[in-house]
Amino acid sequence: ARDFSEDVVLTSQSASAVEWLIGGSYLHADAAQRLTVNVAPAQITDVPDGRLVTDAGALFGEAEWQFAPGWRLKAGARWADEHRDRHYRETVDGAPVATLGVGKSWSAFVPSATIDYHPVKALLIYASAGRGFKSGGFNIGQAQAAPFDAETLWAFEAGIKVEARDLPLHATASTFQYNYRNIQVAVLSPVAPPSGLPILENAARATVRGAELALSADATPRLSLGLSLAALDARYDDYVSIDPNNP
């Protein structure tokens, strides 16, 4: 595998009333996978040979504004575009049985925003919302004409943090929810050849909800005590797949 990446970022001066950054990124990646599968008892040799070329670009920006005493707003956005070209050739005992060449592009606009409030120096209250994006692609070692789709996520979080060097007690509490669409899941391949290999496919929807609490105390200058609790509810809301044992 070979890849090349480049990032260019322009930032404001740190003493500005509104701090900001803008930038762009580019990635070129070229990956190949060649397997030799000896199939018994038929005594044949299956050689799937795949190559995946990725070109990805993005423009992004973020700004942070202290709009009132103790209040801060941070907002950002990213536009991403990714294109993948997939080349595949498979031979059985040296004879070609499959030749595929296919490409597809994915793009997404990804915003995010966070607001926080410092009523006193040691206390922070915050809430955030943002969108995530993972582009689709091809399973490089499979005779796959249709790609798996892009995965998207909306993430929401709110919480409180108590953190100060002159206090012996530190605490954080938060609650969150993640809403996935077309989540990418690794499963065993239901098709041959070669079957039984892990591939990526899309589950339709998934939701993760949870809450976390962490406490720590400095009992002595050399002894710290900590306690953390978490509750998590993660489930697939809608998932249609193929059972490799019963296709």
Side-chain angles (χ1 to χ4, degrees), residues 66 69-72 116-125 161:
Q66 194 91 23
W71 288 91
R72 181 177 59 177
D116 58 52
Y117 176 50
H118 273 283
V120 295
K121 185 177 181 180
L123 178 62
L124 172 67
I125 304 170
K161 295 182 180 182

Side-chain angles (χ1 to χ4, degrees), residues 59-196:
L59 299 173
F60 54 86
E62 184 178 78
E64 184 177 307
W65 178 30
Q66 194 91 23
F67 62 92
W71 288 91
R72 181 177 59 177
L73 176 65
K74 181 185 293 185
R78 180 184 180 94
W79 179 82
D81 182 81
E82 299 193 17
H83 180 82
R84 300 186 191 274
D85 283 314
R86 191 285 188 94
H87 308 277
Y88 180 83
R89 185 175 187 270
E90 184 175 351
T91 61
V92 175
D93 288 340
V97 297
T99 301
L100 295 173
V102 64
K104 188 172 180 180
S105 297
W106 292 267
S107 61
F109 177 72
V110 184
S112 65
T114 302
I115 187 169
D116 58 52
Y117 176 50
H118 273 283
V120 295
K121 185 177 181 180
L123 178 62
L124 172 67
I125 304 170
Y126 70 93
S128 67
R131 188 170 187 252
F133 164 75
K134 184 192 297 184
S135 72
F138 300 88
N139 292 290
I140 188 172
Q142 292 283 325
Q144 175 194 20
F148 54 86
D149 206 356
E151 175 184 311
T152 58
L153 161 72
W154 274 104
F156 306 93
E157 183 176 348
I160 298 175
K161 295 182 180 182
V162 179
E163 187 75 34
R165 293 183 178 180
D166 54 348
L167 294 178
L169 180 66
H170 312 282
T172 62
S174 64
T175 181
F176 55 87
Q177 177 167 324
Y178 303 147
N179 298 328
Y180 287 93
R181 296 295 181 270
N182 289 325
I183 184 172
Q184 296 171 5
V185 181
V187 299
L188 294 181
S189 170
V191 297
S195 62

